[in-house]
Amino acid sequence: MSLSTTLNRGFRIALALAGALTLAACANTNQDQAAAGRATPGSSQDFVVNVGDRVFFTVDATDVTPEGRTTLDRQATWLRQYPRYTFTIEGHADERGTREYNIALGARRAASVRDYLISRGIEASRMRTISYGKERPVAVCNDDSCWNQNRRAVTALNNAGS
Amino acid sequence: MNFLNGLTRREALMRAGVAVASLPVLMTLPARAQVKVDINKPGDFQPITIAIPDLLGDAQLGKQIVGVISANLQRCGYFNVLPQQAYLDKITSIDTAPNFANWRTINAQMLAVGTIARGGQGLIAQYRLFDVLTGEQRDGKQFTTTAENWRRLAHILADAIYSATTGLGGYFDSRIAFVDEAGSKQKRSKRIAVMDQDGANLRYLTADGSLVLTPRFSPQNNQLAYMQFGGDEPRVFLLDMQSGARQNLGSFPGISFAPRFSPDGARVVMSIINQDGNSSIATMDLGSRNLSRLTSGPQIDTGASFAPDGSRIVFESDRGGGQQLYVMGAGGGTPQRISFGQGRYSTPVWSPRGDLIAFTKQAAGQFALGVMRPDGQGERILTTDYHAEGPTFAPNGQVILFFKEKGPGPRLYSIDVTGRFEQMVPSPNFASDPAWGPLLA
């Protein structure tokens, strides 16, 4: 049980890193991949790499998926452990919708994540939500292989430097 | 403030620095079959052939003005401007009858002639429009304006020719606001730009490096309402186009977006994201800054647009499941669904003529631009593409501007409401979220 969780988690991190590498190639972000594995516990890097800062949604949906709930459970555990952080939940949509609707859709996704984290005991006062609609994709392509990365809600730590 | 109401366009033109007067009719001949067009009739359409010799008088300016007029008429799709090399007749005066036989020989249906002179007060232009087949004068006007207004003078002349020939209102003397896009897709910088409808006189109204969306003209033509990111929450702002001064219209909790002015300019309708993550529609009175919430409930209501008489609002909502179009009273009330086709309908906008609502439609993995009557009947798809979005009507309700996104970035396109004439609108960079302003008047 504990072994399979570890394995699963390792697999998930590998996937996340692969995603990040693809992104880096597209967007020329300079994420330090090597350092990511040895992130200091309680650091924002620890949160992004070892917990997972984002959950994904199916087309036009705003309910958190079972995979998303697993990620949010880990986020809730981590956020309880490090109460010094406040955070912003950013809701995003893929490009296959109209501009105004996608703003609204992103807001619903952010609210879904907020409600879930509250249900896991995180104080509402620590979080705020925002929607970027389809304005900030992380992946650019012409099919669902990357649209599914853009349909997301990202938990962004606000005072990560402190 | 709202001085255009109750004034004719002619009176308004005089206030805006372009004065207009009618020229005496040069001659009246017994009317034969005159050039009569019904642009909106279905079926084959042949563009109207028109000859436009350079204006007499100031030769250089006369050529420039005819260049702008011809480009407008050719681009709109309803005219075929005959090349000047083909002209057999030389116009020497606009106060004597042209030799119509020579214009019939080159198959010109219409002939526009004019003069342009620089006077102490600025520019004086006179023009006459003839039906070549009957020899009848269809229009004759004199315009006076200042020298720097020469392009507007050309647009006003083009509007006069367009209106006298088609019976439709003009639209060439108008501007377009849009979002200019730069940088990678992941981190786009977006700023608001405004230009003449033919792409001239481009001006940027917000700073580089920002994220702004959906600029919309005030009916007085002096302000834009738009959505701006930055600060704690994205909000609706008002921008004074002359001074660049901004006002925050969203100084209440919740993201505000998708603004549009009421036809009298007194209110802005917008969408507000509630605490529960749903979106509802509200209007803000610009005088008192009071907010009236028109819809509520666990749904996404957005994309609101007023009818031109201000009595009703069309918007999109997923209250019945998918995105569909609804119409309600301008003060709220029970919305009536008007779209019933297969697919998702969004971004409705009411024609300034009142006869149509244009929308974006998503079906079968494609995007389409369409129109329907305000009661939902008569749906017509004008164009279908990988991604097409965000219609806005020309001041005469005859042409729609929208954007298409394919490959690295979006571009503006225009299409007329018959769907016959679609073309790209030139912009220096990627461009999206167009808004067609009122006639400059």
Side-chain angles (χ1 to χ4, degrees), chain B residues 191-252:
Chain B
R191 40 185 184 158
I192 295 175
V194 65
M195 63 186 184
D196 296 350
Q197 56 76 28
D198 65 347
N201 292 320
L202 179 93
R203 211 153 56 90
Y204 292 104
L205 301 183
T206 58
D208 202 3
S210 57
L211 179 54
V212 290
L213 304 173
T214 63
R216 308 296 181 211
F217 273 93
S218 70
Q220 287 80 17
N221 228 331
N222 59 346
Q223 287 181 313
L224 296 172
Y226 67 104
M227 181 192 194
Q228 172 154 337
F229 284 75
D232 54 343
E233 276 181 325
R235 291 194 165 114
V236 171
F237 280 76
L238 273 191
L239 178 71
D240 185 287
M241 296 173 75
Q242 203 58 45
S243 69
R246 287 182 308 159
Q247 299 174 53
N248 180 359
L249 280 195
S251 51
F252 46 80

Side-chain angles (χ1 to χ4, degrees), chain B residues 28-77:
Chain B
T28 40
L29 295 179
R32 282 183 282 165
Q34 64 168 8
V35 176
K36 205 168 164 59
V37 287
D38 184 354
I39 303 284
N40 291 320
K41 212 173 95 185
D44 285 346
F45 174 78
Q46 288 298 320
I48 300 147
T49 53
I50 184 169
I52 316 176
D54 290 341
L55 304 187
L56 303 175
D58 188 313
Q60 193 196 351
L61 201 49
K63 195 170 215 37
Q64 284 177 317
I65 288 174
V66 167
V68 172
I69 295 172
S70 300
N72 279 336
L73 295 179
Q74 192 73 39
R75 275 184 67 81
C76 87

Side-chain angles (χ1 to χ4, degrees), chain B residues 18-19 23 53-67 69 91-95 113-128 141-157:
Chain B
V18 183
L23 290 187
D54 290 341
L55 304 187
L56 303 175
D58 188 313
Q60 193 196 351
L61 201 49
K63 195 170 215 37
Q64 284 177 317
I65 288 174
V66 167
I69 295 172
I91 299 293
T92 52
S93 161
I94 71 159
D95 295 320
V113 299
T115 62
I116 181 75
R118 292 178 194 271
Q121 306 293 316
L123 302 177
I124 303 172
Q126 295 189 328
Y127 114 102
R128 294 184 196 275
K141 285 194 177 77
Q142 171 173 300
F143 300 92
T144 51
T145 187
T146 50
E148 71 271 14
N149 267 349
W150 74 267
R151 283 194 75 93
R152 281 203 55 208
L153 183 61
H155 292 313
I156 290 167
L157 283 164

Side-chain angles (χ1 to χ4, degrees), chain A residues 22-29 59-60 62 88 91 94-112 114-115 118 124 127-144 147 150 152, chain B residues 181 184-190 210-211 213-214 216 227 229 231-234 255 257-258 260 273-279 298-300 302-303 316 318 323 344 346-347 360 362 365-367 385-390 403 405 407 432-433:
Chain A
T22 316
L23 262 185
C26 294
N28 286 325
T29 55
V59 175
D60 201 24
T62 57
T88 302
D94 68 30
E95 68 189 59
R96 301 303 284 163
T98 43
R99 181 141 1 257
E100 295 90 336
Y101 180 79
N102 277 353
I103 298 279
L105 187 63
R108 267 190 183 163
R109 287 173 175 163
S112 290
R114 179 200 58 199
D115 292 349
I118 289 173
M127 53 185 109
R128 50 185 283 269
T129 58
I130 191 172
S131 173
Y132 284 97
K134 60 177 171 178
E135 305 309 314
R136 288 288 180 257
V138 289
V140 177
C141 68
N142 286 329
D143 58 53
D144 198 56
W147 296 338
N150 295 332
R152 69 199 192 278
Chain B
E181 301 196 10
S184 74
K185 251 188 170 177
Q186 291 93 335
K187 213 168 170 18
R188 272 281 150 86
S189 166
K190 295 192 172 191
S210 57
L211 179 54
L213 304 173
T214 63
R216 308 296 181 211
M227 181 192 194
F229 284 75
D232 54 343
E233 276 181 325
I255 292 172
F257 64 112
R260 273 189 207 278
I273 294 172
N274 312 316
Q275 183 60 30
D276 55 12
N278 293 309
S279 298
Q299 70 257 353
I300 290 174
T302 187
E316 60 169 271
D318 67 351
Q323 287 165 279
R344 297 161 62 179
S346 59
T347 73
T360 306
Q362 289 170 256
Q366 294 277 96
F367 282 61
D385 212 288
Y386 171 72
H387 194 118
E389 180 181 344
F403 71 94
E405 180 129 27
S432 60
D433 290 9

